[in-house]
Amino acid sequence: MKKWFAVIGDPIAHSKSPNMHSAWFEELNIDAAYIPLHVTNESLESAVASLRTLGASGWNVTIPHKQTIMPFLDELDSLAEKMGAVNTVVSLPDGRLKGYNTDGAGFVHSLEEAIGKHKKEQDILLIGAGGAARGIAFALQEYGYHNLAITNRTVEKAEEIIRELGEGQALSIDEAEQSLDKFGIIIQSTSAGLANSDFKLPLALDKLQEGAIAADIVYNPLMTPFLLEAQKKNAQIVNGLGMFVHQGAISFNYWLGQYPNTNNMIKRLTAELNQLI
Ligand code: ATR
């Protein structure tokens, strides 16, 4: 029987996931469909029940349901449980629904695609302490990166993540700016630089190390003010598109046991996003 998948969220119309997964089904000759479903907070529980009843093989979960969906699932992957958020649901062969989180791992895959897997000893500075930062922090630890500092406007939120990780350091924005030259990898995980946002730069980059790696999770625009500034200081740039494509690829792999071609997808979406400029 034809398999079907979905992404649920509110808003959902602009999601790039349906096109991405549909292209991968075609490329890999998989008879499946992937549809965007507009699900409001009030209808989340009944939407999950409907997806279950109607036999979806799995689905992605996006804003604002990544946390609130958790009680409606039967099982959680341990990393998703630690992160406190789910972006992927798998319908297991016995019909149980299991939640995973592929966002943080998607980021690490994208980072390692750009810089290799041999830089685990580097000092890393993560800017931001929201949901996205939390996912990235736990995924970095899971993949063997242990020298992590987190800075955030509200430093208590950075301290909370560090406490849960059981390692690392929380820094005020001021402290992070002053000690920036110590970090080989800087990750921008706040909403700064998003198209249509007034919030441009989360911290001053005056002391950025030459040759440091600067990664952003925002991919629209591809070049955020943070990346432009870092590039001027001769940093190696990693934009947010790789994270988006790899989180999708990891979900795809959970559902279908195959890792789709991410390089072609990144090229294709880069071209699309460049046309928007
Ligand atoms: P997400 O799930 O995308 O991470 P979030 O959980 O709302 O979204 O987190 C947003 C992040 O961007 C937080 O680190 C937030 O800082 P605070 O914890 O201090 O709120 C950061 N952020 C958002 N707007 C900001 C602004 N104008 N100045 C500084 N930091 C900002």
Side-chain angles (χ1 to χ4, degrees):
M1 205 170 75
K2 191 179 183 95
K3 287 179 189 286
W4 69 280
F5 301 86
V7 55
I8 63 171
D10 180 17
I12 202 61
H14 298 293
S15 170
K16 294 194 174 299
S17 293
N19 279 345
M20 179 166 75
H21 285 279
S22 301
W24 281 334
F25 295 149
E26 201 167 315
E27 224 172 274
L28 293 165
N29 259 321
I30 295 170
D31 186 21
Y34 186 111
I35 50 171
L37 296 175
H38 180 221
V39 172
T40 59
N41 283 327
E42 301 72 50
S43 57
L44 177 63
E45 184 170 10
S46 63
V48 172
S50 305
L51 285 156
R52 191 198 288 269
T53 308
L54 297 174
S57 298
W59 62 92
N60 285 125
V61 183
T62 186
I63 289 166
H65 305 314
K66 290 186 187 190
Q67 282 99 25
T68 44
I69 196 170
M70 297 174 80
F72 306 132
L73 303 176
D74 303 311
E75 204 177 320
L76 290 175
D77 170 66
S78 60
L79 199 55
E81 197 163 6
K82 276 195 214 168
M83 290 171 178
V86 159
N87 79 329
T88 304
V89 176
V90 179
S91 175
L92 299 172
D94 63 2
R96 290 166 55 77
L97 299 177
K98 181 166 183 180
Y100 292 87
N101 191 315
T102 69
D103 286 327
F107 175 81
V108 178
H109 282 217
S110 166
L111 181 73
E112 292 188 339
E113 198 165 66
I115 69 168
K117 296 185 181 191
H118 50 274
K119 298 210 165 148
K120 310 229 188 227
E121 302 309 319
Q122 293 264 7
D123 283 307
I124 303 181
L125 177 66
L126 175 58
I127 311 168
R134 172 173 287 273
I136 289 170
F138 281 106
L140 284 168
Q141 183 178 54
E142 180 83 3
Y143 280 79
Y145 295 83
H146 297 291
N147 301 329
L148 180 67
I150 306 179
T151 185
N152 193 44
R153 172 179 62 177
T154 315
V155 74
E156 292 78 16
K157 285 167 69 182
E159 285 165 356
E160 173 59 29
I161 300 178
I162 290 293
R163 213 173 8 255
E164 289 178 40
L165 283 171
E167 62 186 2
Q169 200 187 3
L171 301 175
S172 67
I173 297 284
D174 228 33
E175 288 168 332
E177 285 176 345
Q178 292 312 317
S179 59
L180 202 61
D181 54 356
K182 163 174 173 242
F183 298 98
I185 303 176
I186 324 259
I187 303 162
Q188 196 307 104
S189 82
T190 74
S191 36
L194 263 178
N196 310 323
S197 148
D198 295 336
F199 170 38
K200 298 289 180 217
L201 207 60
L203 102 177
L205 297 181
D206 302 331
K207 295 200 171 171
L208 187 69
Q209 212 182 82
E210 185 146 341
I213 291 138
D216 206 316
I217 67 161
V218 170
Y219 65 84
N220 188 13
L222 282 174
M223 281 306 278
T224 60
F226 168 76
L227 292 180
L228 284 168
E229 187 72 19
Q231 194 173 46
K232 275 194 218 149
K233 304 210 170 296
N234 296 322
Q236 184 186 338
I237 301 304
V238 181
N239 70 38
L241 193 56
M243 173 182 182
F244 170 70
V245 171
H246 278 282
Q247 64 73 32
I250 301 168
S251 301
F252 191 100
N253 190 36
Y254 277 130
W255 295 325
L256 295 158
Q258 295 182 67
Y259 207 88
N261 187 320
T262 48
N263 282 336
N264 289 350
M265 187 56 64
I266 289 170
K267 278 188 205 140
R268 184 172 144 175
L269 291 176
T270 301
E272 269 179 38
L273 286 162
N274 279 332
Q275 272 181 357
L276 293 178
I277 293 170

